[in-house]
């Protein structure tokens, strides 16, 4: 018996034919391996053991073949699948694709990783994370004994820049500067902390101005230039979000003047009034508005950070932020918490007020 690096056990024996015969699979425990050997020994003693038929050798499995199978068997969002396909084609296959999967050793992985473009840290991290996930499955499938991806921290995606949420003054300037048909979109992304894909798929039936809520049940993404409608990013992304009362009139005005009457009508359609607004059109208008506000660094997605920060300052707990943002884990919601400028002084002042009350 032999314990493999994966923690599983391999068993083999020399039969009456003087050839070594291995178990057709590995075992989770040493006891299971011993049991298999015991049964084979009993067969030999009773004269019932027969040598197995010769194994038909098949061509070694290449990384290209296994990764293609891995991708086919995954239930992925279209945008995620497209991203994986790009990473495999551009960064993994050129070096690893023709190798047999069991010849992708730790040293091969280190050499491959060191040759990835150092000026693209996010690409390096995502490529490594994808390779590690594929190899984890190969271990579970018993195609390889252990995962060769052992570079500490290589899968951690670095934050390329520190995100500074928009201030209330900057947000006000952006809302005024952007075309009127997009003002409600900016308000919903910022004050409700919604993803742009969630807002661009929002329809009249999803908005209740009386209750002051919006319902997030779908999202749109673009794959190969085509709009693909699906569920939100995670199960927790399906949610009802309350609008701050001060933006409800603007959203109601948008529904009255810029949205078709049908329940399925898109809130923010393209020029034809039917199909989804193209991201290029939105971003062109967005760039002009953010320049007016003096924030050339601000992305549309950063409005979500703005909304999370404002909700935190309004007293939302981490669990409440998690629900409002539609995140399945607290750690994901934590990424959107920011210390707003001047907040530390406000906290210090509040502590003094508290101290004054306690001393009286």
């Amino acid at each position: 018996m032999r314990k493999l690096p994966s923690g599983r056990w391999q068993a083999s024996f020399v039969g009456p034919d003087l050839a070594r015969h291995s178990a057709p699979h590995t075992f989770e425990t040493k006891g299971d391996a011993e049991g298999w050997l015991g049964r084979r020994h009993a067969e030999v003693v009773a004269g019932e053991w027969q040598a197995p038929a010769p194994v038909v050798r098949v061509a070694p499995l290449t990384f290209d073949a296994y990764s293609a199978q891995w991708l086919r068997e995954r239930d992925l969002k279209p945008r995620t699948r497209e991203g994986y396909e790009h990473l495999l084609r551009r960064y993994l296959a050129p070096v690893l694709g023709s190798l047999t999967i069991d010849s992708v050793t730790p040293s091969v992985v280190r050499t491959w990783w060191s040759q990835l473009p150092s000026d693209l840290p996010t690409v390096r991290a995502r490529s490594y994370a994808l390779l590690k996930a594929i190899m984890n499955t190969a271990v579970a499938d018993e195609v390889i004994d252990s995962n060769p991806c052992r570079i500490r921290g290589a899968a951690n995606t670095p934050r390329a820049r520190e995100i500074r949420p928009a201030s209330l003054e900057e947000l006000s300037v952006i809302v005024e500067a952007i075309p009127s048909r997009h003002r409600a979109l900016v308000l919903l992304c910022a004050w409700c902390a919604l993803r742009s894909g969630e807002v661009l798929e929002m329809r009249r039936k999803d908005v209740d101005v009386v209750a002051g809520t919006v319902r997030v049940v779908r999202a749109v993404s673009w794959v190969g230039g085509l709009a693909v409608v699906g569920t939100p990013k995670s199960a927790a992304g399906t949610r009802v979000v309350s609008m701050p009362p001060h933006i409800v009139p603007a959203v109601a005005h948008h529904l009255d003047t810029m949205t078709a009457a049908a329940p399925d009508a898109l809130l923010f359609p393209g020029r034809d009034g039917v199909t989804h607004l193209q991201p290029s059109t939105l971003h062109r208008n967005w760039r002009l508005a953010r320049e007016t506000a003096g924030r050339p660094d601000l992305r549309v997605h950063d409005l979500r950070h703005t909304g999370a920060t404002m909700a935190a300052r309004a007293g939302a707990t981490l669990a409440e932020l998690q629900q409002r943002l539609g995140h399945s884990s607290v750690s994901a919601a934590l990424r959107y918490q920011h210390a707003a400028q001047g907040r530390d002084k406000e906290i210090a002042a509040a502590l003094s007020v508290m101290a004054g009350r306690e001393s009286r």
Side-chain angles (χ1 to χ4, degrees), residues 62-268:
T62 65
F63 177 80
D64 260 351
Y66 188 80
S67 61
Q69 174 187 326
W70 184 91
L71 202 56
R72 283 195 303 271
E73 294 174 350
R74 292 291 169 290
D75 183 18
L76 302 170
K77 295 282 186 183
R79 188 70 177 270
T80 302
R81 184 177 297 277
E82 183 185 48
Y84 284 173
E85 289 173 345
H86 170 72
L87 292 175
L88 282 167
R89 182 174 59 253
R90 178 70 177 81
Y91 298 104
L92 277 73
V95 175
L96 307 175
S98 61
L99 300 178
T100 59
I101 194 162
D102 59 351
S103 66
V104 181
T105 62
S107 63
V108 169
V109 171
R110 281 194 300 273
T111 300
W112 161 79
W113 186 78
S114 69
Q115 293 172 350
L116 291 175
S118 58
D119 58 338
L120 299 175
T122 301
V123 166
R124 294 183 84 193
R126 289 178 177 172
S127 298
Y128 184 87
L130 177 57
L131 176 61
K132 188 173 183 179
I134 292 171
M135 290 306 196
N136 272 337
T137 305
V139 172
D141 288 345
E142 300 183 6
V143 175
I144 55 177
D145 293 336
S146 61
N147 195 321
C149 298
R150 302 172 190 175
I151 305 173
R152 189 181 300 274
N156 296 335
T157 304
R159 175 168 283 180
R161 62 186 181 92
E162 187 62 33
I163 296 171
R164 181 165 63 92
S167 67
L168 293 182
E169 294 76 15
E170 291 165 346
L171 183 58
S172 178
V173 171
I174 289 170
V175 170
E176 288 299 318
I178 207 161
S180 58
R181 65 184 182 277
H182 295 157
R183 285 176 183 168
L185 185 153
V186 172
L187 291 171
L188 287 170
C189 285
W191 288 100
C192 297
L194 302 179
R195 300 177 178 93
S196 60
E198 295 169 344
V199 177
L200 291 176
E201 170 49 25
M202 200 162 281
R203 299 169 186 269
R204 176 180 283 275
K205 64 184 179 183
D206 299 318
V207 182
D208 186 339
V209 293
V210 176
T213 60
V214 290
R215 190 168 55 110
V216 181
V217 290
R218 300 170 310 280
V220 64
S221 59
W222 276 261
V223 180
L226 299 176
V228 177
V229 176
T231 56
K233 194 171 183 180
S234 66
T238 300
R239 63 202 188 279
V240 174
V241 180
S242 295
M243 294 183 283
H246 76 278
I247 75 166
V248 173
V251 174
H253 175 74
H254 182 90
L255 288 171
D256 292 341
T257 60
M258 301 181 195
T259 305
D264 281 327
L266 289 165
L267 262 64
F268 306 102

Side-chain angles (χ1 to χ4, degrees), residues 312-313 338-340 342-355:
R313 292 192 63 175
H338 298 273
R343 180 60 174 163
D344 190 53
K345 288 186 178 181
E346 293 175 18
I347 293 171
L351 290 172
S352 290
V353 171
M354 184 191 307

Side-chain angles (χ1 to χ4, degrees), residues 236 317-323 325-337:
T317 65
L318 190 56
E320 289 165 340
L321 279 177
Q322 180 183 340
Q323 190 280 329
L325 292 166
H327 278 147
S328 56
S329 68
V330 171
S331 60
L334 276 170
R335 292 200 304 267
Y336 292 93
Q337 286 194 316

